[in-house]
Amino acid sequence: MIAWGVAIVFSCAAVCTDLKTTRVPNGLIVLGILAGVMLSLMGIRSGGVVLFLIRLIWPVALLYPIYLIRGLGAGDIKCFAALSVILGSRLALSVIIYSLIIGAVIGLCRWILRGQLKGRMYGMYAGLCQVLLYKQNSAYFTERGEKLHFTICIFFALVGCLLREGLK
């Protein structure tokens, strides 16, 4: 239960800094990782140095392609890495999946409410064709659109996982 509390506090801090500065500072990520180290030293999170490093690195490796197409920011991915160290890989994977679903639903709702769904879907299709057929980044993938503070999606996914785990 201590790990959940640490994860919730870390996620709240990430949301607050993201909303205020549109960034998740590296200092906060380091604090999250150090919290994971403390949990390991206290015996709450076990596995040794190798497992700790695997927990730290796998979210970055998994989500890096999404970062390349500007689907996630670097701070969001580092938050997932810190949460993986705090909660463990299985729960971190659940948080990742839930937060991606939440983010996709929010994005689709924005497009539908603004009447942009058809144009955006065509743009994604055209961009994907350019990337796959011509091996180049398309203008679609490199343009900057409206920012979704993804740390909010991470927070709600974390709360959802906590409720699901607590109900067992």
Side-chain angles (χ1 to χ4, degrees), residues 13 36-37 40-41 46 57 63 91 101 105 108 113-114 119 132 139 148:
V37 169
S40 294
L41 293 175
S46 62
I57 293 170
L63 298 171
L91 290 173
I101 292 169
V105 168
L108 283 173
L113 290 174
R114 294 180 182 152
L132 294 175
L148 169 63

Coordinates of all heavy atoms in Angstrom, one line a residue, residues 13 36-37 40-41 46 57 63 91 101 105 108 113-114 119 132 139 148:
A13 N 2.1 15.3 -8.3 CA 3.2 16.3 -8.5 C 3.5 16.5 -10.0 O 3.7 17.6 -10.5 CB 4.4 15.9 -7.8
G36 N 11.5 4.8 -5.7 CA 11.5 3.4 -6.0 C 12.7 2.7 -5.4 O 12.6 1.6 -4.9
V37 N 13.9 3.4 -5.4 CA 15.1 2.8 -4.7 C 14.8 2.6 -3.2 O 15.1 1.5 -2.7 CB 16.3 3.7 -4.9 CG1 17.5 3.3 -4.0 CG2 16.7 3.7 -6.4
S40 N 12.7 -0.3 -2.6 CA 13.5 -1.6 -2.8 C 14.3 -1.8 -1.5 O 14.4 -3.0 -1.1 CB 14.4 -1.5 -4.0 OG 13.7 -1.4 -5.2
L41 N 14.9 -0.8 -1.0 CA 15.7 -0.9 0.2 C 14.9 -1.3 1.4 O 15.4 -2.0 2.3 CB 16.5 0.4 0.5 CG 17.6 0.7 -0.5 CD1 18.2 2.1 -0.2 CD2 18.7 -0.4 -0.6
S46 N 11.1 -5.8 -4.5 CA 12.3 -6.6 -4.5 C 12.8 -6.9 -5.9 O 12.2 -6.5 -6.9 CB 12.0 -7.9 -3.8 OG 11.0 -8.6 -4.5
I57 N 14.1 0.8 -17.6 CA 14.4 1.0 -19.0 C 13.2 0.5 -19.9 O 13.0 1.1 -20.9 CB 15.7 0.2 -19.4 CG1 16.9 1.0 -18.7 CG2 15.9 0.2 -20.8 CD1 18.2 0.2 -18.7
L63 N 7.9 2.8 -25.3 CA 7.2 4.0 -25.7 C 8.0 4.9 -26.6 O 7.4 5.9 -27.1 CB 6.7 4.7 -24.5 CG 5.7 3.9 -23.6 CD1 5.4 4.6 -22.3 CD2 4.4 3.6 -24.4
L91 N 2.1 -3.7 -12.9 CA 1.2 -2.6 -12.7 C 1.5 -1.4 -13.6 O 0.6 -0.7 -14.1 CB 1.2 -2.2 -11.2 CG 0.6 -3.2 -10.3 CD1 0.9 -2.8 -8.8 CD2 -0.9 -3.4 -10.5
I101 N -5.4 4.4 -23.5 CA -6.9 4.4 -23.9 C -7.6 5.7 -23.5 O -8.3 6.2 -24.3 CB -7.5 3.1 -23.2 CG1 -7.0 1.8 -23.9 CG2 -9.0 3.2 -23.4 CD1 -7.4 0.6 -23.1
V105 N -9.3 8.3 -26.1 CA -10.7 8.7 -26.0 C -10.9 10.2 -25.9 O -11.7 10.8 -26.6 CB -11.4 8.0 -24.8 CG1 -12.8 8.6 -24.5 CG2 -11.5 6.5 -25.0
L108 N -10.1 11.6 -29.5 CA -11.2 11.4 -30.4 C -12.4 12.3 -30.1 O -13.1 12.8 -31.0 CB -11.7 9.9 -30.4 CG -10.8 9.0 -31.1 CD1 -11.2 7.5 -30.9 CD2 -10.8 9.3 -32.6
L113 N -16.0 16.7 -31.4 CA -16.7 18.0 -30.9 C -16.3 19.1 -31.8 O -17.1 20.1 -32.0 CB -16.3 18.3 -29.5 CG -16.9 17.3 -28.4 CD1 -16.4 17.6 -27.0 CD2 -18.4 17.4 -28.4
R114 N -15.1 19.1 -32.4 CA -14.7 20.2 -33.3 C -15.0 19.9 -34.8 O -14.6 20.7 -35.6 CB -13.2 20.5 -33.1 CG -12.9 21.0 -31.7 CD -11.4 21.2 -31.5 NE -11.2 21.7 -30.2 CZ -10.1 21.5 -29.5 NH1 -9.1 20.8 -30.1 NH2 -10.0 21.9 -28.3
G119 N -11.2 14.8 -41.3 CA -9.9 15.4 -41.8 C -8.7 14.9 -41.1 O -7.7 14.6 -41.7
L132 N 5.5 4.9 -44.4 CA 5.7 3.5 -44.8 C 6.2 3.3 -46.3 O 7.1 2.5 -46.5 CB 4.4 2.7 -44.7 CG 3.9 2.5 -43.2 CD1 2.6 1.8 -43.2 CD2 5.0 1.8 -42.4
A139 N 4.5 15.7 -42.8 CA 4.1 16.9 -42.2 C 3.1 16.7 -41.0 O 3.1 17.4 -40.0 CB 3.6 17.9 -43.2
L148 N -2.2 17.9 -25.2 CA -2.9 17.1 -24.2 C -2.0 16.9 -23.0 O -0.9 16.3 -23.2 CB -3.4 15.8 -24.8 CG -4.0 14.8 -23.8 CD1 -5.3 15.3 -23.2 CD2 -4.3 13.5 -24.5

